[in-house]
Amino acid sequence: MRLDLTGDLVTLFRQIVDVESVSGNERELADLVEAALREQPHLDVVRDGDTVIARTNLGRDQRVVVAGHLDTVPVAANLPSRLVDDVVHGRGTADMKGGVAVALACAAALTSPNRDLTWVFYDHEEVAAADNSLTRIAREHPEWLEGDFAVLMEPTSAGVEGGCQGTLRFTVTTRGRAAHSARSWLGHNAIHDAAGPLALLQACEPREVEVDGLTYREGMNAVGIAGGIATNVIPDTCVLTVNFRFAPDRDEADAVAHCRQLFAGYDLEVVDFAPAARPGLDRPIAQEFLAAVGGEPRPKFGWTDVARFGALGVPAVNFGPADPGRAHADDECCPVADLYTCRDALLRWLA
Ligand SMILES: [Zn+2]
């Protein structure tokens, strides 16, 4: 089989969907993508693991990076794809093989673009950040991801979602003294003490803040609680896990300081952190993108790989076919119209 990048877009999309590529099993699809891109004389292609990067080198003033991941979450009896009433159903149709199909079609069509282009097709996105191949590429070959603007083709129903919120997970631990629950006055109940931090969370008003013209809404939420070793023992430890989703005007130090201030006096330990990304929509190149795409940009509330580009100093937006609410669902699907909307917008902007 080969992928025909210049033929029917829906056929290309369904071909890509039907090559199962659950994280860790991207090789076959990466081989097909690499082979199809190598047929394009205007592109320089490099391969690193199962990541394929194709670039134009026309000496243009600006460079745009368009990226999409090849992997999907595990199949749930939803392959091969089905086309019903102009909607394609199947694993990966929403997240995010529609974006991959559009990017491949545009990579072939834009033989003489108005800006230099870098097309990134990468592996291991739907797994731990440490395994994400963009982590490795950013570390070992940051120059491959350089650009003035990046478009990540994650599903947005073909609208523009700018930047992304950051995420910080931490624990708040209360400590007491274990005792037999029949003589509880000999101990001290650590779970009861968790009422303090829980009350702080309940009273916490999420901040709304405007960054580069988009309004982000933060969230501070308990996402787990653990304590107690047996039903007849006064618990001596209680661990509350909290997730802080924060707006892109905060960096790591600021996000951590905010949490330490809120839980002052408590034993707080940071578990993991992923940075936010500014939408960068105030830049001229972003304005030109918005003009070509049309519609009102929205803030991105989830975390996406746009943050990796943000960390490299490249402003980035999410823009891709399919409803993000369908991502990872058993009834994942993508309207055919979204594919054409995204393709035509990229061609208008970059041709
Ligand atoms: Zn995705």
Side-chain angles (χ1 to χ4, degrees):
M1 185 174 99
R2 63 182 282 279
L3 301 177
D4 179 8
L5 307 189
T6 55
D8 176 60
L9 183 56
V10 177
T11 304
L12 173 66
F13 176 40
R14 294 189 64 189
Q15 276 185 308
I16 293 168
V17 171
D18 288 338
V19 178
E20 182 261 286
S21 59
V22 175
S23 307
N25 193 36
E26 297 94 333
R27 176 139 310 157
E28 185 185 352
L29 182 54
D31 287 348
L32 288 168
V33 167
E34 181 187 3
L37 290 170
R38 284 199 191 281
E39 286 175 20
Q40 310 300 319
H42 61 288
L43 294 174
D44 293 334
V45 179
V46 290
R47 167 115 175 212
D48 184 292
D50 286 331
T51 292
V52 182
I53 297 178
R55 282 173 297 183
T56 64
N57 287 301
L58 301 166
R60 302 285 194 254
D61 293 342
Q62 292 179 316
R63 176 172 291 278
V64 168
V65 183
V66 181
H69 61 82
L70 298 174
D71 59 321
T72 70
V73 296
V75 178
N78 50 5
L79 282 184
S81 63
R82 292 176 302 120
L83 176 63
V84 183
D85 296 335
D86 283 332
V87 176
V88 181
H89 297 257
R91 174 58 76 226
T93 49
D95 189 7
M96 56 166 286
K97 289 183 169 180
V100 168
V102 168
L104 284 169
C106 291
L110 290 162
T111 54
S112 183
N114 54 19
R115 299 169 176 88
D116 268 312
L117 301 174
T118 301
W119 306 94
V120 180
F121 303 94
Y122 62 104
D123 55 292
H124 284 87
E125 192 273 343
E126 300 287 7
V127 287
D131 296 327
N132 185 319
S133 65
L134 274 194
T135 307
R136 181 184 72 246
I137 305 279
R139 187 178 60 232
E140 294 175 8
H141 303 283
E143 71 282 4
W144 291 357
L145 303 177
E146 268 170 18
D148 299 283
F149 192 66
V151 178
L152 192 63
M153 298 205 73
E154 291 276 4
T156 61
S157 292
V160 178
E161 295 187 349
C164 79
Q165 303 223 114
T167 173
L168 175 70
R169 259 181 294 268
F170 59 93
T171 56
V172 177
T173 303
T174 51
R175 291 196 173 77
R177 191 168 59 251
H180 197 298
S181 57
R183 290 173 293 277
S184 58
W185 54 88
L186 297 176
H188 182 92
N189 194 315
I191 290 181
H192 293 184
D193 282 355
L198 284 172
L200 290 173
L201 285 169
Q202 204 156 31
C204 194
E205 295 276 346
R207 191 181 65 128
E208 282 190 20
V209 59
E210 196 181 300
V211 183
D212 298 349
L214 299 183
T215 302
Y216 292 84
R217 185 164 197 243
E218 298 188 324
M220 179 82 75
N221 283 281
V223 291
I225 188 162
I229 57 165
T231 52
N232 56 357
V233 178
I234 299 301
D236 66 351
T237 309
C238 182
V239 180
L240 187 64
T241 303
V242 182
N243 185 204
F244 179 36
R245 296 283 174 152
F246 57 91
D249 62 332
R250 296 192 198 269
D251 60 10
E252 180 170 11
D254 185 52
V256 172
H258 176 69
C259 297
R260 288 202 186 280
Q261 192 180 14
L262 181 63
F263 294 97
Y266 286 101
D267 177 1
L268 186 154
E269 203 169 317
V270 173
V271 178
D272 60 20
F273 169 85
R278 296 185 76 97
L281 296 178
D282 44 352
R283 299 198 186 189
I285 189 169
Q287 290 295 328
E288 287 156 24
F289 170 72
L290 291 176
V293 171
E296 274 297 303
R298 303 181 298 260
K300 184 76 176 176
F301 290 112
W303 191 90
T304 74
D305 277 319
V306 296
R308 292 176 200 283
F309 288 101
L312 294 168
V314 185
V317 295
N318 303 277
F319 172 68
D323 175 354
R326 295 295 191 119
H328 301 191
D330 289 354
D331 61 348
E332 229 182 294
C333 61
C334 176
V336 165
D338 280 13
L339 299 174
Y340 293 115
T341 302
C342 290
R343 183 197 63 181
D344 294 348
L346 288 185
L347 294 181
R348 262 197 309 276
W349 181 42
L350 298 168

